[in-house]
Amino acid sequence: MFMAMFRKLLVENRHRILILGGGYFALCMLMGCWMGFFSMNLDAETALYFATSCLMVTLAASMTFSDLKTKQGRIAFLMLPASASAKTFPRLLAMTGGILIAGTVGFYFMDVVRWLLEGLVYHTWDGIRNPFSLIPNSEYGEFAYVCLAMYLFNVAVYTLGSAIAPRLSFLKTTCVMFAIQFVLVFILSMWIRSNTIISWDIEGNWLPYTIIGMFYVISAVLFYCTYLRIRKMTLTN
């Protein structure tokens, strides 16, 4: 049932996938042209692509359940002869894996465009860049650990937002996240101003690893909340 729903999802949304994918790679091409003409270094290129990709990840995740915006869409979704898990988890897998693959391919597509333009305009054929060369070999594991946690957290947040409020999901979820961050920053600032001192007996990197590990746990909880939302969804929502 899971694979059948996964194939059905891809077939029914192939036009949307092609349009979104085409738009994303067109943006990558434009960024590659910009970098090629202005001969940007790897640090600036990676920073620009990372910022753009973060925006695209949240936009794509917020469209996970966009077909539920209308009553007709909700009726069609609820009438599918499948369990709530079969309706939910194929979408989560397709969105999470699809964005990750598109993001990786998009960087190298952008860099190929940059490489061609720099070669044709400035006659400097320096080859395709590797963004991971900015990271010391000894820190690959830590970098992947942190990036994957942040990626899953952002996808989980905006996917849950899409399930709760399909209409204008990106804007609503972003506003909620800003409000939560504002409250947390306010609480932290009040805590600091109160001169409260906590002594940490830290040995090694267990504390940052634990904090990042909490993001994995929170992501899993948010994905499960998405499933619960779909399972309890009614036509009156």
Side-chain angles (χ1 to χ4, degrees):
M1 177 61 72
F2 181 90
M3 291 306 300
M5 290 298 297
F6 188 80
R7 288 193 297 269
K8 184 177 186 299
L9 176 67
L10 294 180
V11 170
E12 291 183 348
N13 293 276
R14 61 185 181 277
H15 296 299
R16 178 182 298 179
I17 294 172
L18 289 174
I19 292 173
L20 291 176
Y24 177 69
F25 285 110
L27 179 62
C28 290
M29 184 176 69
L30 290 175
M31 288 194 295
C33 292
W34 175 273
M35 294 170 186
F37 280 123
F38 291 96
S39 225
M40 296 177 67
N41 58 38
L42 181 57
D43 290 348
E45 178 183 355
T46 304
L48 176 61
Y49 184 75
F50 180 78
T52 304
S53 295
C54 288
L55 177 61
M56 297 303 294
V57 164
T58 54
L59 278 171
S62 68
M63 299 174 65
T64 305
F65 295 98
S66 60
D67 55 333
L68 303 182
K69 290 186 293 186
T70 64
K71 184 174 182 179
Q72 292 79 10
R74 293 194 294 273
I75 292 174
F77 182 80
L78 291 174
M79 291 297 290
L80 287 174
S83 63
S85 60
K87 296 176 182 179
T88 305
F89 291 113
R91 293 190 182 219
L92 299 183
L93 177 62
M95 186 60 65
T96 305
I99 294 175
L100 191 60
I101 293 172
T104 304
V105 175
F107 178 87
Y108 288 102
F109 176 69
M110 176 191 69
D111 202 55
V112 166
V113 174
R114 189 267 323 159
W115 171 68
L116 287 173
L117 279 179
E118 280 191 351
L120 294 172
V121 176
Y122 300 105
H123 306 289
T124 55
W125 303 91
D126 61 351
I128 305 301
R129 296 168 175 173
N130 176 18
F132 296 103
S133 64
L134 299 172
I135 308 164
N137 292 336
S138 60
E139 297 179 5
Y140 273 178
E142 291 86 347
F143 179 78
Y145 180 70
V146 172
C147 285
L148 183 59
M150 296 299 100
Y151 169 72
L152 290 176
F153 176 74
N154 278 286
V155 172
V157 166
Y158 281 86
T159 300
L160 177 59
S162 177
I164 295 175
R167 296 186 184 90
L168 300 176
S169 174
F170 175 77
L171 292 177
K172 292 177 181 177
T173 307
T174 301
C175 289
V176 171
M177 290 300 296
F178 271 121
I180 292 174
Q181 291 176 25
F182 177 81
V183 171
L184 291 177
V185 170
F186 177 77
I187 293 174
L188 181 61
S189 65
M190 295 298 293
W191 180 31
I192 294 174
R193 291 178 61 184
S194 67
N195 296 320
T196 302
I197 299 176
I198 297 179
S199 177
W200 297 93
D201 185 13
I202 300 176
E203 294 182 1
N205 296 323
W206 70 268
L207 181 59
Y209 277 119
T210 302
I211 294 174
I212 297 301
M214 290 175 61
F215 278 93
Y216 283 100
V217 175
I218 294 172
S219 301
V221 171
L222 292 175
F223 281 130
Y224 185 69
C225 288
T226 302
Y227 160 71
L228 292 179
R229 168 62 181 171
I230 296 302
R231 190 179 70 175
K232 296 179 180 180
M233 185 181 64
T234 63
L235 293 178
T236 57
N237 291 145

